Amino acid sequence: MAVNLTDLSLPQLEGLKAQLDQEVEFLTTSIGQFKVVQTKYVEAKDSLNVLNKNNKGKELLVPLTSSMYVPGTLNDVEHCLVDVGTGYYVEKNVEDSKAFFKRKIDFLTKQIEKIQPALQEKHAMKQAVIEVMNVKIQQLQQSQQSSQMTKA
Amino acid sequence: MADAIQKKLKVELEKYTQMQKDVSKSMSARQKLETQLTENNIVKEELDLLDSSNIVYKLIGPVLVKQELDEAKATVAKRLEYINGEIQRYETLLKDMEKKSEQHREVLSSLQQEFQKAQGLAIGKV
């Protein structure tokens, strides 16, 4: 940025700060959302561990609604149905599903790593703007005081 | 004189704010398309990784319907094509609007100057 912060007026700095505030908030919520989705994928990947040969044929309760369950047996421990987005579901075997979730988790990690430096940069910029604003406000107060003194 | 210009200024200003509203509307529509584009690209990547042993289902309402992999791929490809076309359309639309608002801003500032001049004259007369 070629513009020197100290050259800007207080209202301009105020505007800049508001803009940076907005950007910081946007990036922060983005990272938060990424983390939420990532946890979901991690949980899904972990629960796939239950689908192994040892658990084949075991009884379980299937939730038909959130308040009603029916008994069932675990018949197929090799396959599961994965949501790949925009309404498409794919039947994959357990290994492929794990690979799918790992891919998603890695993708999200990369995205978060991409955003993090940008967020830090914006944060530092905001801090700099606030500092300059404080200095300006102090200067303003001092000049006001001294003009009052001369008046009195 | 000043009153007439003020009235005109007000009308033009209203037109301008309406234009700004349209611009931001198109902007958010474009952003939505961008999101859809990324989403569909991710699905396309996933579908490309599959082979004929994988069964693909499409969620229609609350029902999962079996669909051929090739058909799903074709649908997603068509969607991507459509979204890209729409983004292009919005791009030109936005450029056009940008130009128009630029012109409008000029009209507004010249009107403002005229108004100030007329006001100065009116005060001078009194």
Side-chain angles (χ1 to χ4, degrees):
Chain A
M1 213 166 68
V3 184
N4 197 343
L5 277 182
T6 45
D7 290 345
L8 295 174
S9 66
L10 263 181
Q12 276 174 323
L13 286 168
E14 192 84 53
L16 192 61
K17 185 182 162 272
Q19 199 192 329
L20 286 169
D21 264 337
Q22 232 174 27
E23 281 171 7
V24 165
E25 200 188 285
F26 177 73
L27 291 173
T28 316
T29 44
S30 292
I31 288 182
Q33 279 169 345
F34 276 144
K35 287 208 170 133
V36 169
V37 178
Q38 202 176 29
T39 343
K40 260 192 202 164
Y41 280 132
V42 170
E43 274 170 17
K45 191 165 165 253
D46 285 346
S47 28
L48 274 177
N49 289 330
V50 184
L51 285 183
N52 56 34
K53 289 222 164 64
N54 295 336
N55 281 337
K56 192 176 168 143
K58 278 195 185 163
E59 276 191 17
L60 55 99
L61 289 165
V62 185
L64 275 194
T65 71
S66 58
S67 59
M68 192 183 75
Y69 295 78
V70 291
T73 45
L74 194 54
N75 194 17
D76 184 355
V77 289
E78 268 104 52
H79 296 96
C80 64
L81 208 56
V82 184
D83 182 359
V84 294
T86 69
Y88 282 109
Y89 287 73
V90 181
E91 197 174 292
K92 289 169 177 281
N93 64 36
V94 172
E95 281 318 304
D96 283 354
S97 305
K98 277 185 186 166
F100 169 83
F101 287 128
K102 190 175 178 307
R103 223 163 35 235
K104 292 282 145 187
I105 293 165
D106 288 349
F107 173 74
L108 287 168
T109 313
K110 256 188 221 142
Q111 295 298 317
I112 292 173
E113 275 169 3
K114 254 193 230 166
I115 297 179
Q116 211 107 45
L119 178 65
Q120 265 156 10
E121 194 191 326
K122 294 281 172 204
H123 209 77
M125 259 168 82
K126 199 180 106 181
Q127 224 57 41
V129 170
I130 290 173
E131 234 162 79
V132 175
M133 272 175 83
N134 279 338
V135 171
K136 291 232 168 187
I137 288 170
Q138 250 170 16
Q139 277 173 351
L140 199 69
Q141 276 174 341
Q142 263 166 6
S143 69
Q144 265 175 351
Q145 267 172 356
S146 60
S147 71
Q148 269 175 349
M149 293 269 268
T150 48
K151 261 182 205 164
Chain B
M1 179 66 178
D3 275 352
I5 297 173
Q6 193 178 23
K7 244 181 216 159
K8 203 170 172 209
L9 195 66
K10 209 175 147 191
V11 172
E12 290 297 317
L13 200 66
E14 259 166 32
K15 267 193 214 158
Y16 180 69
T17 36
Q18 185 57 43
M19 218 140 92
Q20 277 325 90
K21 254 187 217 160
D22 286 345
V23 168
S24 66
K25 223 191 257 167
S26 299
M27 283 275 224
S28 55
R30 215 209 85 113
Q31 237 154 29
K32 234 181 239 164
L33 283 170
E34 202 79 50
T35 325
Q36 284 175 352
L37 184 73
T38 355
E39 208 178 334
N40 278 288
N41 265 325
I42 290 171
V43 177
K44 186 185 177 301
E45 272 169 38
E46 280 308 319
L47 290 180
D48 283 343
L49 288 170
L50 302 177
D51 53 48
S52 50
S53 72
N54 296 104
I55 304 163
V56 180
Y57 297 88
K58 172 101 187 74
L59 188 70
I60 302 173
V63 212
L64 285 171
V65 183
K66 213 187 246 179
Q67 203 175 46
E68 287 304 315
L69 179 58
D70 289 332
E71 205 184 325
K73 274 185 184 172
T75 314
V76 174
K78 216 180 279 169
R79 250 195 245 158
L80 282 172
E81 202 180 298
Y82 170 75
I83 293 169
N84 273 322
E86 279 291 282
I87 285 180
Q88 218 105 67
R89 196 171 70 84
Y90 270 101
E91 203 78 52
T92 44
L93 199 72
L94 273 169
K95 245 183 222 157
D96 200 41
M97 280 205 238
E98 209 73 58
K99 224 186 271 167
K100 267 191 198 154
S101 11
E102 188 68 44
Q103 282 168 354
H104 215 112
R105 259 201 293 278
E106 272 164 30
V107 171
L108 272 177
S109 68
S110 70
L111 262 177
Q112 213 157 23
Q113 271 167 3
E114 245 177 83
F115 174 62
Q116 268 163 359
K117 227 188 272 172
Q119 222 175 17
L121 278 179
I123 292 169
K125 266 180 202 164
V126 178

